Amino acid sequence: MTARLRGLVRDPKGVASFALLLAIVVAALAAPLIAPANPLLQSLPSSDLAPMASGPGGARHWLGTDEYGRDVLSRVIYGARVSLLVAVGAVFLAGVAGVTLGILAGFLAGPMDAVTMRLVDIQLAFPTVLLAIAWIAFIGNNLASLIAVVALSGWASYVRIARASALSLRAVPFVEATVAAGASRTRIMLRHIAPNVMGPIIVLATLQLGRAVLLESTLSFLGLGVQPPTPSWGSMLADGRAQLDVAWWIAAFPGLAITLLVLGANLLGDALRDALDPRFEQRRA
Amino acid sequence: MQGYLTRRIAHSLVALLGVTLVAFVFVNASGDPAALLLPGDATPAQAAALRRSLGLDRPFLTQYGLFVWQAVHGNFGVSFRQQLPAAPLILSYAPATAELAVGASVVSVVVAVPLGIIAASYRGRLYDWLTSVFVLIGQSAPIFWLGLMAIWIFSLELRLLPPFGRGTLAQLVLPVMTLAWYVSALLTRMTRASMLEVLDQDYIRTARSKGLSWLPVILKHALRNAAIPVLTVFGLQFGELLGGVVVTETVFAWPGMGRAIVDAIKARDYPVVLATIFVAVNLLVDLSYGLLDPRIRYQ
Amino acid sequence: MRYALQVVCTLACVLVLAAPGAVLSAADTSVSIAQGIDAQTLDPQMDTLGSSTAIFSNLYDPLAMIDNTGKVVPALATGWKFLNDTTLELTLRRGVTFQNGEPFTARDVVFTLQRMMATDHPVLTHPWIADIVKSVVAVDDYTVRITTAAPDAPLLRRLELWFILPADTFQKEGAQEFGQHPVGTGAYQVGPWAKNDHLTLNAYAEYWRGAPKISQVTFRVIPEDFARYVALKTGAADIVVNLPPERVAEAQQDPNLRVEAIHASRTIFIGMNTWNPPFNNVKVRQALNYAVDSTQIVQTILKGDGYPNPSPVNQTTFGYCPTLTPYPHDPAKARALLAQAGYPHGFTATLATTIGRYLDDVQVAQAVSGQLETVGVHAQVAQEEWPVYWGAWLSKKQPGMYLLGFGGAPLDADYVMASHFDSTRRGLYYNSPTSDKLIAEGRRTTSDAARKQIYCQLQQYLQAQAPWIYLFDQQDIYGLTKRVVWQPRVDELIWMYDAKLQ
């Protein structure tokens, strides 16, 4: 697999998207260092300033200010934290749970498989956004709840892939021999099956990252996500939506940020998929 | 064949029961519909009395059992807020949502298929690149952001199109276009990808090298083979499309099922929520199974 | 292929460009009103939303209405007199017909009220009526007697929201059908209803006040603030409810638009759970009132569109005491009082607020929290969705401070007292024997002048006891296009009878 990943480096799409994502992650981590202002600091005399304008104190606001005088650039940078935290957390949670269940279902088969696949059917049948809305509305509106619901809406895809891999690997002579030799099933699953699942799972996870960001921002937009004054891109969009004609920057820049992050994730996922796809290898060779 | 059919129906039922159970747990978890229905000067005792009359004070399992029993007979109860039977009520919003979904699907097919074909045929050139941009924006930008931008530009600044309501063709344009961008982005990618695979096939290359005109070759051979995986994926993405419908309806004040169920959830109108889930899930399970079949058979 | 595509595109463009004309230029005598939410049903006793009540006032008439000066004016009742402390006799208007021809008589009044009072099929509105009204009787076709369980001075003002239903039609059709095809005596009758989209009302030519000048009124449902504003700017809506304050200046400068503002009957306040420490100490409650500067909040958060109010009674309401002196903004005094109460270093508590239910509610809560911080009180703002907030509030489970709004008809001081301070009604978070006594006295005293004195006493007592942090009265802002001449009402009803076109 590492050999194939080397192919990724030669793909301009992959490099560019990886750089983009890295930049966003670094910006989010270094927020206190690079943000020009405190994202929570209100200053009513500076409200609704256009990008590049300066406030009464002389501070220049590169992306303008919102209706409370808060610097948009700083809020966008800090907002990356929330979006990334929710997306990465949800994808990690969904990935771990989904892969585990998938491997167990595929390898152990029997009732374990049947129950898991029924659960997958249920989750796939449930309209995602509605599930999220209902969950937040009924369970509560906080960060943990948000991560949980985004994870819940995506775990089934991992199960499918992991299960398919486990099913096919189960029949491979090497594995059969190991089973016959008496190796513990857990050991087999961990040492032999899991590593082979990783490739497609990583591709899926990267693509799901984009989905998670979109879902989180949609929920924030509907008022069910991260609550103000914590800046999150979705809630900034929600705040700015009533002033599109007089202060377009309040909504435009967070929207752009969401688009870029999702774009990066999608492109990277595509590039990874291309790199790990044996047929693609053949074509280029 | 018969065994397969029974299995499929059994799967549908299990999924349905599971979903409604989950939904039922949710709706009973928080919020008191009685308190929400009464005016701001009602007392706790009055709220309790209303809860009793709505049957909400009975134990959870009793309520769920009653719901399933009635649902099997086609009775989904009466909406708490609108005093109308829940199932016909939610179905009355279906035409509006269908208009949006079908409109978006038609537009996206009309746009995406030619776009995908052109991009595949001129791979690596300007057309392909422009198509990529179109696809990327459609897939990455949040639907509600696109919708708000559309309202700003086309409704307020240009005064070309109305930003809300339903009834005239003009009112359909913005919501459909917004929703269609996302769907056609997906379709374009799929079409392009499968077209590329088909175009690579030897027999296509042979036909072209023989001097046969480009377009008939594409239409006769390539399209047919490219269609199947496209439709399959489209079916799988239908759940996502529904999510997009909810957001689009909210932004454009479109009176469809998506908005209706969001309102019902916020108001804890349980009969309507459950009826909608029942209808939506039925639809989704059938669709996804119908389209997943070929894939299952491959496995 | 390309040619065909061009033709199709051109056709589509033409259609698309032509159609807005059809949507945006309404018939000359038609007016559109944009609200955020649709009526749930057109049965006026089964929908408690304010936006729905605004619609009902056009379909139905009550026995009496309250004008903008607070005076009770005749509607379906032409006159009234109290036979004794507990019996009100109303003389009904003759010659009124319901919109389907059914004549209006005392039977309809009796039917309406009895439906409101029934315990077997409870209606949602007026949950208190069964406690207040004992019986209603038709003396003859045009005379009705309402008997109350105890002397009830606010009774006349309560009449405004009792929309009269047609007994025969209602009983024949049943509640469900009636809710979809309502019949009233009002100036407008129901037309096509596209749920969640728009409701059209057509003028009723035989209306007893005379046919309304505007022949058609359409209530449009537009949940998005921005879309409502676009509707106003493009003329797709003539009246927009709750115009955001940041749009006011712009609308005032637009030659096609007008802004109408009115002192609303709703008061915004911070209540406290006075059963829980530290709010059980009156010195603490007073200290918080000294710490909060409601004038500043109105100036900075609401941009001046509000009315600081030191009383729990709204300033447009009967019984408001104009001689109350507000708590001055005095952080030093606040800190001193806190120290006396045993909290020299302040304390921590929650401040629960709704999200978007009242204009700028979250921002007001945060501003209050900021002001309390300066005297050492750390108020953690907890934002809760309405169902969660209200469920907790009604179960007496809001633990500390809570931001809430209250008001509306009947515009009588008794209303807020009964709903928030009366232990015999709903004094959930505060009540006391002294205030109970005054409240009961105010309710049963019949002379207006005497009632005003009692309520002044009561308000002074409540001010000293400070169960609330008193904030402000809201201002209702409506955006209108210049073609409509219409005055907003204190009771927030969007009554279109008076309206006319330029």
Side-chain angles (χ1 to χ4, degrees), chain C residues 473-494:
Chain C
D473 290 351
Q474 273 191 326
Q475 186 183 68
D476 282 339
I477 306 177
Y478 299 83
L480 290 87
T481 56
K482 279 254 161 74
R483 68 188 274 262
V484 176
V485 178
W486 174 80
Q487 293 301 321
R489 297 176 58 95
V490 172
D491 53 22
E492 292 183 342
L493 295 177
I494 306 186

PDB file of all heavy atoms in Angstrom, chain C residues 473-494:
ATOM      1  N   ASP C 473     -40.400  47.125  27.693  1.00  0.00           N
ATOM      2  CA  ASP C 473     -41.508  46.731  26.813  1.00  0.00           C
ATOM      3  C   ASP C 473     -40.980  46.693  25.393  1.00  0.00           C
ATOM      4  O   ASP C 473     -40.159  47.527  25.003  1.00  0.00           O
ATOM      5  CB  ASP C 473     -42.642  47.758  26.872  1.00  0.00           C
ATOM      6  CG  ASP C 473     -43.372  47.743  28.203  1.00  0.00           C
ATOM      7  OD1 ASP C 473     -43.125  46.830  29.016  1.00  0.00           O
ATOM      8  OD2 ASP C 473     -44.193  48.656  28.423  1.00  0.00           O
ATOM      9  N   GLN C 474     -41.491  45.775  24.615  1.00  0.00           N
ATOM     10  CA  GLN C 474     -41.033  45.678  23.233  1.00  0.00           C
ATOM     11  C   GLN C 474     -41.703  46.719  22.358  1.00  0.00           C
ATOM     12  O   GLN C 474     -42.735  47.279  22.692  1.00  0.00           O
ATOM     13  CB  GLN C 474     -41.376  44.292  22.675  1.00  0.00           C
ATOM     14  CG  GLN C 474     -40.314  43.268  22.957  1.00  0.00           C
ATOM     15  CD  GLN C 474     -40.558  42.001  22.179  1.00  0.00           C
ATOM     16  OE1 GLN C 474     -41.682  41.602  21.951  1.00  0.00           O
ATOM     17  NE2 GLN C 474     -39.483  41.363  21.775  1.00  0.00           N
ATOM     18  N   GLN C 475     -41.061  46.949  21.203  1.00  0.00           N
ATOM     19  CA  GLN C 475     -41.701  47.776  20.201  1.00  0.00           C
ATOM     20  C   GLN C 475     -41.975  46.877  19.006  1.00  0.00           C
ATOM     21  O   GLN C 475     -41.098  46.133  18.578  1.00  0.00           O
ATOM     22  CB  GLN C 475     -40.775  48.908  19.791  1.00  0.00           C
ATOM     23  CG  GLN C 475     -41.424  49.913  18.858  1.00  0.00           C
ATOM     24  CD  GLN C 475     -40.433  50.968  18.417  1.00  0.00           C
ATOM     25  OE1 GLN C 475     -39.499  50.692  17.701  1.00  0.00           O
ATOM     26  NE2 GLN C 475     -40.646  52.189  18.863  1.00  0.00           N
ATOM     27  N   ASP C 476     -43.175  46.900  18.496  1.00  0.00           N
ATOM     28  CA  ASP C 476     -43.495  46.114  17.302  1.00  0.00           C
ATOM     29  C   ASP C 476     -43.228  46.976  16.080  1.00  0.00           C
ATOM     30  O   ASP C 476     -43.708  48.102  15.989  1.00  0.00           O
ATOM     31  CB  ASP C 476     -44.972  45.710  17.306  1.00  0.00           C
ATOM     32  CG  ASP C 476     -45.239  44.549  18.236  1.00  0.00           C
ATOM     33  OD1 ASP C 476     -44.286  43.814  18.570  1.00  0.00           O
ATOM     34  OD2 ASP C 476     -46.396  44.368  18.629  1.00  0.00           O
ATOM     35  N   ILE C 477     -42.451  46.432  15.156  1.00  0.00           N
ATOM     36  CA  ILE C 477     -42.107  47.197  13.953  1.00  0.00           C
ATOM     37  C   ILE C 477     -42.666  46.475  12.742  1.00  0.00           C
ATOM     38  O   ILE C 477     -42.406  45.291  12.530  1.00  0.00           O
ATOM     39  CB  ILE C 477     -40.587  47.343  13.792  1.00  0.00           C
ATOM     40  CG1 ILE C 477     -39.989  47.929  15.070  1.00  0.00           C
ATOM     41  CG2 ILE C 477     -40.261  48.228  12.602  1.00  0.00           C
ATOM     42  CD1 ILE C 477     -38.496  48.049  15.048  1.00  0.00           C
ATOM     43  N   TYR C 478     -43.447  47.198  11.955  1.00  0.00           N
ATOM     44  CA  TYR C 478     -44.015  46.644  10.739  1.00  0.00           C
ATOM     45  C   TYR C 478     -43.440  47.383   9.535  1.00  0.00           C
ATOM     46  O   TYR C 478     -43.284  48.601   9.561  1.00  0.00           O
ATOM     47  CB  TYR C 478     -45.540  46.809  10.723  1.00  0.00           C
ATOM     48  CG  TYR C 478     -46.261  46.108  11.848  1.00  0.00           C
ATOM     49  CD1 TYR C 478     -46.370  46.698  13.103  1.00  0.00           C
ATOM     50  CD2 TYR C 478     -46.835  44.855  11.657  1.00  0.00           C
ATOM     51  CE1 TYR C 478     -47.034  46.054  14.135  1.00  0.00           C
ATOM     52  CE2 TYR C 478     -47.512  44.211  12.685  1.00  0.00           C
ATOM     53  CZ  TYR C 478     -47.600  44.818  13.916  1.00  0.00           C
ATOM     54  OH  TYR C 478     -48.260  44.186  14.934  1.00  0.00           O
ATOM     55  N   GLY C 479     -43.134  46.637   8.494  1.00  0.00           N
ATOM     56  CA  GLY C 479     -42.715  47.263   7.241  1.00  0.00           C
ATOM     57  C   GLY C 479     -43.893  47.253   6.288  1.00  0.00           C
ATOM     58  O   GLY C 479     -44.567  46.234   6.152  1.00  0.00           O
ATOM     59  N   LEU C 480     -44.155  48.393   5.666  1.00  0.00           N
ATOM     60  CA  LEU C 480     -45.290  48.451   4.741  1.00  0.00           C
ATOM     61  C   LEU C 480     -44.871  49.064   3.410  1.00  0.00           C
ATOM     62  O   LEU C 480     -43.950  49.877   3.359  1.00  0.00           O
ATOM     63  CB  LEU C 480     -46.411  49.336   5.307  1.00  0.00           C
ATOM     64  CG  LEU C 480     -47.202  48.851   6.490  1.00  0.00           C
ATOM     65  CD1 LEU C 480     -46.544  49.227   7.784  1.00  0.00           C
ATOM     66  CD2 LEU C 480     -48.596  49.447   6.448  1.00  0.00           C
ATOM     67  N   THR C 481     -45.551  48.675   2.352  1.00  0.00           N
ATOM     68  CA  THR C 481     -45.357  49.398   1.090  1.00  0.00           C
ATOM     69  C   THR C 481     -46.268  50.620   1.125  1.00  0.00           C
ATOM     70  O   THR C 481     -47.301  50.629   1.797  1.00  0.00           O
ATOM     71  CB  THR C 481     -45.726  48.531  -0.117  1.00  0.00           C
ATOM     72  OG1 THR C 481     -47.068  48.068   0.032  1.00  0.00           O
ATOM     73  CG2 THR C 481     -44.805  47.345  -0.246  1.00  0.00           C
ATOM     74  N   LYS C 482     -45.890  51.632   0.376  1.00  0.00           N
ATOM     75  CA  LYS C 482     -46.622  52.898   0.457  1.00  0.00           C
ATOM     76  C   LYS C 482     -48.061  52.783  -0.014  1.00  0.00           C
ATOM     77  O   LYS C 482     -48.892  53.617   0.325  1.00  0.00           O
ATOM     78  CB  LYS C 482     -45.889  53.967  -0.378  1.00  0.00           C
ATOM     79  CG  LYS C 482     -44.717  54.593   0.368  1.00  0.00           C
ATOM     80  CD  LYS C 482     -45.041  56.009   0.820  1.00  0.00           C
ATOM     81  CE  LYS C 482     -44.100  56.466   1.929  1.00  0.00           C
ATOM     82  NZ  LYS C 482     -42.756  56.787   1.429  1.00  0.00           N
ATOM     83  N   ARG C 483     -48.383  51.739  -0.770  1.00  0.00           N
ATOM     84  CA  ARG C 483     -49.742  51.686  -1.324  1.00  0.00           C
ATOM     85  C   ARG C 483     -50.791  51.321  -0.266  1.00  0.00           C
ATOM     86  O   ARG C 483     -51.970  51.526  -0.463  1.00  0.00           O
ATOM     87  CB  ARG C 483     -49.814  50.712  -2.500  1.00  0.00           C
ATOM     88  CG  ARG C 483     -49.640  49.261  -2.155  1.00  0.00           C
ATOM     89  CD  ARG C 483     -49.526  48.402  -3.412  1.00  0.00           C
ATOM     90  NE  ARG C 483     -50.823  47.993  -3.929  1.00  0.00           N
ATOM     91  CZ  ARG C 483     -51.395  46.815  -3.712  1.00  0.00           C
ATOM     92  NH1 ARG C 483     -50.793  45.927  -2.948  1.00  0.00           N
ATOM     93  NH2 ARG C 483     -52.562  46.522  -4.233  1.00  0.00           N
ATOM     94  N   VAL C 484     -50.324  50.785   0.856  1.00  0.00           N
ATOM     95  CA  VAL C 484     -51.279  50.380   1.899  1.00  0.00           C
ATOM     96  C   VAL C 484     -51.302  51.410   3.018  1.00  0.00           C
ATOM     97  O   VAL C 484     -50.254  51.815   3.512  1.00  0.00           O
ATOM     98  CB  VAL C 484     -50.887  49.010   2.492  1.00  0.00           C
ATOM     99  CG1 VAL C 484     -51.829  48.647   3.627  1.00  0.00           C
ATOM    100  CG2 VAL C 484     -50.901  47.949   1.424  1.00  0.00           C
ATOM    101  N   VAL C 485     -52.512  51.818   3.417  1.00  0.00           N
ATOM    102  CA  VAL C 485     -52.656  52.703   4.569  1.00  0.00           C
ATOM    103  C   VAL C 485     -53.232  51.860   5.694  1.00  0.00           C
ATOM    104  O   VAL C 485     -54.390  51.427   5.634  1.00  0.00           O
ATOM    105  CB  VAL C 485     -53.604  53.872   4.249  1.00  0.00           C
ATOM    106  CG1 VAL C 485     -53.769  54.757   5.469  1.00  0.00           C
ATOM    107  CG2 VAL C 485     -53.066  54.675   3.075  1.00  0.00           C
ATOM    108  N   TRP C 486     -52.448  51.611   6.725  1.00  0.00           N
ATOM    109  CA  TRP C 486     -52.872  50.691   7.794  1.00  0.00           C
ATOM    110  C   TRP C 486     -52.144  51.039   9.071  1.00  0.00           C
ATOM    111  O   TRP C 486     -50.956  51.368   9.047  1.00  0.00           O
ATOM    112  CB  TRP C 486     -52.553  49.254   7.373  1.00  0.00           C
ATOM    113  CG  TRP C 486     -52.818  48.226   8.433  1.00  0.00           C
ATOM    114  CD1 TRP C 486     -54.023  47.681   8.777  1.00  0.00           C
ATOM    115  CD2 TRP C 486     -51.852  47.621   9.298  1.00  0.00           C
ATOM    116  NE1 TRP C 486     -53.862  46.770   9.784  1.00  0.00           N
ATOM    117  CE2 TRP C 486     -52.533  46.718  10.147  1.00  0.00           C
ATOM    118  CE3 TRP C 486     -50.479  47.763   9.456  1.00  0.00           C
ATOM    119  CZ2 TRP C 486     -51.904  45.953  11.109  1.00  0.00           C
ATOM    120  CZ3 TRP C 486     -49.835  46.999  10.420  1.00  0.00           C
ATOM    121  CH2 TRP C 486     -50.551  46.114  11.235  1.00  0.00           C
ATOM    122  N   GLN C 487     -52.860  51.028  10.175  1.00  0.00           N
ATOM    123  CA  GLN C 487     -52.253  51.321  11.471  1.00  0.00           C
ATOM    124  C   GLN C 487     -52.096  50.046  12.295  1.00  0.00           C
ATOM    125  O   GLN C 487     -53.047  49.291  12.421  1.00  0.00           O
ATOM    126  CB  GLN C 487     -53.129  52.304  12.249  1.00  0.00           C
ATOM    127  CG  GLN C 487     -53.204  53.688  11.626  1.00  0.00           C
ATOM    128  CD  GLN C 487     -51.835  54.314  11.519  1.00  0.00           C
ATOM    129  OE1 GLN C 487     -51.003  54.190  12.406  1.00  0.00           O
ATOM    130  NE2 GLN C 487     -51.586  54.969  10.393  1.00  0.00           N
ATOM    131  N   PRO C 488     -50.910  49.828  12.866  1.00  0.00           N
ATOM    132  CA  PRO C 488     -50.772  48.654  13.737  1.00  0.00           C
ATOM    133  C   PRO C 488     -51.586  48.809  15.018  1.00  0.00           C
ATOM    134  O   PRO C 488     -51.960  49.911  15.394  1.00  0.00           O
ATOM    135  CB  PRO C 488     -49.273  48.620  14.069  1.00  0.00           C
ATOM    136  CG  PRO C 488     -48.686  49.861  13.561  1.00  0.00           C
ATOM    137  CD  PRO C 488     -49.681  50.595  12.745  1.00  0.00           C
ATOM    138  N   ARG C 489     -51.859  47.684  15.677  1.00  0.00           N
ATOM    139  CA  ARG C 489     -52.632  47.679  16.909  1.00  0.00           C
ATOM    140  C   ARG C 489     -51.762  47.230  18.077  1.00  0.00           C
ATOM    141  O   ARG C 489     -50.853  46.428  17.911  1.00  0.00           O
ATOM    142  CB  ARG C 489     -53.812  46.726  16.765  1.00  0.00           C
ATOM    143  CG  ARG C 489     -54.809  47.118  15.702  1.00  0.00           C
ATOM    144  CD  ARG C 489     -55.865  46.058  15.586  1.00  0.00           C
ATOM    145  NE  ARG C 489     -56.547  45.831  16.853  1.00  0.00           N
ATOM    146  CZ  ARG C 489     -57.695  46.424  17.194  1.00  0.00           C
ATOM    147  NH1 ARG C 489     -58.288  47.244  16.351  1.00  0.00           N
ATOM    148  NH2 ARG C 489     -58.253  46.149  18.364  1.00  0.00           N
ATOM    149  N   VAL C 490     -52.121  47.751  19.235  1.00  0.00           N
ATOM    150  CA  VAL C 490     -51.383  47.359  20.441  1.00  0.00           C
ATOM    151  C   VAL C 490     -51.563  45.871  20.702  1.00  0.00           C
ATOM    152  O   VAL C 490     -50.647  45.186  21.144  1.00  0.00           O
ATOM    153  CB  VAL C 490     -51.887  48.173  21.658  1.00  0.00           C
ATOM    154  CG1 VAL C 490     -51.271  47.648  22.938  1.00  0.00           C
ATOM    155  CG2 VAL C 490     -51.550  49.630  21.487  1.00  0.00           C
ATOM    156  N   ASP C 491     -52.770  45.348  20.412  1.00  0.00           N
ATOM    157  CA  ASP C 491     -53.015  43.927  20.702  1.00  0.00           C
ATOM    158  C   ASP C 491     -52.437  43.025  19.623  1.00  0.00           C
ATOM    159  O   ASP C 491     -52.658  41.824  19.644  1.00  0.00           O
ATOM    160  CB  ASP C 491     -54.515  43.662  20.889  1.00  0.00           C
ATOM    161  CG  ASP C 491     -55.340  44.166  19.725  1.00  0.00           C
ATOM    162  OD1 ASP C 491     -54.775  44.331  18.620  1.00  0.00           O
ATOM    163  OD2 ASP C 491     -56.537  44.397  19.900  1.00  0.00           O
ATOM    164  N   GLU C 492     -51.698  43.585  18.657  1.00  0.00           N
ATOM    165  CA  GLU C 492     -50.997  42.818  17.627  1.00  0.00           C
ATOM    166  C   GLU C 492     -51.908  42.111  16.641  1.00  0.00           C
ATOM    167  O   GLU C 492     -51.452  41.278  15.869  1.00  0.00           O
ATOM    168  CB  GLU C 492     -50.039  41.787  18.260  1.00  0.00           C
ATOM    169  CG  GLU C 492     -48.869  42.470  18.955  1.00  0.00           C
ATOM    170  CD  GLU C 492     -47.872  41.494  19.517  1.00  0.00           C
ATOM    171  OE1 GLU C 492     -48.210  40.311  19.682  1.00  0.00           O
ATOM    172  OE2 GLU C 492     -46.747  41.932  19.815  1.00  0.00           O
ATOM    173  N   LEU C 493     -53.190  42.401  16.635  1.00  0.00           N
ATOM    174  CA  LEU C 493     -54.068  41.799  15.632  1.00  0.00           C
ATOM    175  C   LEU C 493     -53.827  42.526  14.315  1.00  0.00           C
ATOM    176  O   LEU C 493     -53.700  43.747  14.282  1.00  0.00           O
ATOM    177  CB  LEU C 493     -55.534  41.973  16.035  1.00  0.00           C
ATOM    178  CG  LEU C 493     -55.972  41.257  17.312  1.00  0.00           C
ATOM    179  CD1 LEU C 493     -57.418  41.564  17.621  1.00  0.00           C
ATOM    180  CD2 LEU C 493     -55.768  39.757  17.197  1.00  0.00           C
ATOM    181  N   ILE C 494     -53.747  41.752  13.225  1.00  0.00           N
ATOM    182  CA  ILE C 494     -53.584  42.398  11.929  1.00  0.00           C
ATOM    183  C   ILE C 494     -54.982  42.509  11.335  1.00  0.00           C
ATOM    184  O   ILE C 494     -55.381  41.727  10.473  1.00  0.00           O
ATOM    185  CB  ILE C 494     -52.633  41.611  11.039  1.00  0.00           C
ATOM    186  CG1 ILE C 494     -51.323  41.409  11.785  1.00  0.00           C
ATOM    187  CG2 ILE C 494     -52.369  42.367   9.750  1.00  0.00           C
ATOM    188  CD1 ILE C 494     -50.245  40.764  10.990  1.00  0.00           C
TER     189      ILE C 494
END
